[in-house]
Amino acid sequence: CVGANGGIGAALAQALAERPAVEQVTATWCHHQPAWQHDKVRWVRLDPCDDDAVAQLAADSGRLDRLINAVGFLHGGGRGPERSIRQVDAGFVADNVAINTVPTLLLAKHFATALKGDRPTVFAALSARVGSIGDNRLGGWYSYRLSKAALNMALKTLAIEWQRSVPGACVAALHPGTTDTALSRPFQRGVPPGKLFTAHYSAQRLLEVMDRLRPADTGRFWSWDGSELPW
């Protein structure tokens, strides 16, 4: 689980480690050391945008059943989602695109061999419903929307390639719902009752979705409740 020191990433790593059938979880952190440990969890410091670092992690890892990228960026440094085109800043756009897309590309580049084998495997990245072009009815949030749409395109393109080269893998974009984490906290005021999830709840639902995925499901965009979202 890459980005396992964030809200949903940590919950995913913890939930996987609690599963009796799981032998080990490799979990990564970048800026802040994790505050929790588990006998099954192997922590690795990783800059997920560093090509060489991702390549080294792949070289140090064995075969995987699942690879989950939970890295994401929405706001920081006093900058946040835009309400209007007038607020667009080139540097903020670049930060969103880099953090929300590059790690998935690098992980796919270096971990393809680790996901090959006799058993079905899953390569998943946390996307967001606001990255759906077909579902965009509110506008705004230019940088975040376009970066998640780019991520979705990367995953769809990867799924097509891997149907030939890694046919046992299912590539999936996952929408976790609005989750009570540091990423979403400044934007929770308008969330309808019952639609703000704990990280534990989101993680459990996402794992249930991944449990059902098979190679034939590759290249699709799934919500936390198992429904399929439009690109």
Side-chain angles (χ1 to χ4, degrees):
C1 184
V2 177
N5 212 24
I8 299 177
L12 284 166
Q14 290 168 349
L16 284 168
E18 294 300 327
R19 291 187 166 192
V22 172
E23 296 178 4
Q24 184 183 67
V25 178
T26 297
T28 78
W29 61 280
C30 185
H31 299 296
H32 305 288
Q33 286 189 307
W36 61 277
Q37 302 290 329
H38 192 285
D39 290 343
K40 290 185 182 179
V41 175
R42 176 175 75 102
W43 283 104
V44 179
R45 186 173 186 178
L46 175 73
D47 178 350
C49 292
D50 184 325
D51 200 322
D52 291 339
V54 176
Q56 186 60 56
L57 179 62
D60 294 339
S61 302
R63 188 187 179 280
L64 303 178
D65 293 312
R66 292 182 183 176
L67 179 53
I68 306 170
N69 177 25
V71 173
F73 177 76
L74 175 59
H75 58 89
R79 301 174 301 173
E82 310 91 345
R83 295 183 179 180
S84 164
I85 192 67
R86 295 187 299 273
Q87 296 176 318
V88 167
D89 172 81
F92 187 61
V93 173
D95 287 345
N96 272 265
V97 172
I99 298 171
N100 289 331
T101 64
V102 171
T104 293
L105 293 169
L106 296 182
L107 290 166
K109 174 182 176 181
H110 294 294
F111 277 89
T113 299
L115 291 165
K116 291 181 179 180
D118 298 331
R119 292 181 297 177
T121 58
V122 174
F123 180 88
L126 296 193
S127 185
R129 189 168 192 144
V130 296
S132 167
I133 295 174
D135 191 63
N136 185 359
R137 296 176 178 83
L138 297 176
W141 288 40
Y142 285 89
S143 297
Y144 192 65
R145 282 187 186 276
L146 68 87
S147 67
K148 290 298 188 178
L151 170 64
N152 290 348
M153 177 60 82
L155 291 164
K156 178 64 175 180
T157 304
L158 177 67
I160 294 169
E161 178 178 343
W162 277 9
Q163 281 182 308
R164 300 185 295 270
S165 59
V166 193
C170 178
V171 178
L174 301 176
H175 167 58
T178 304
T179 308
D180 187 12
T181 65
L183 184 140
S184 70
R185 207 150 286 144
F187 314 103
Q188 295 177 0
R189 186 185 307 175
V191 179
K195 292 298 184 181
L196 180 62
F197 304 145
T198 66
H200 174 77
Y201 181 85
S202 290
Q204 293 290 346
R205 299 291 80 76
L206 292 174
L207 290 176
E208 289 172 4
V209 172
M210 284 184 271
D211 287 342
R212 295 193 294 269
L213 295 180
R214 296 295 180 267
D217 299 313
T218 196
R220 297 160 76 179
F221 187 9
W222 305 97
S223 182
W224 59 272
D225 61 1
S227 62
E228 189 172 358
L229 296 173
W231 293 117

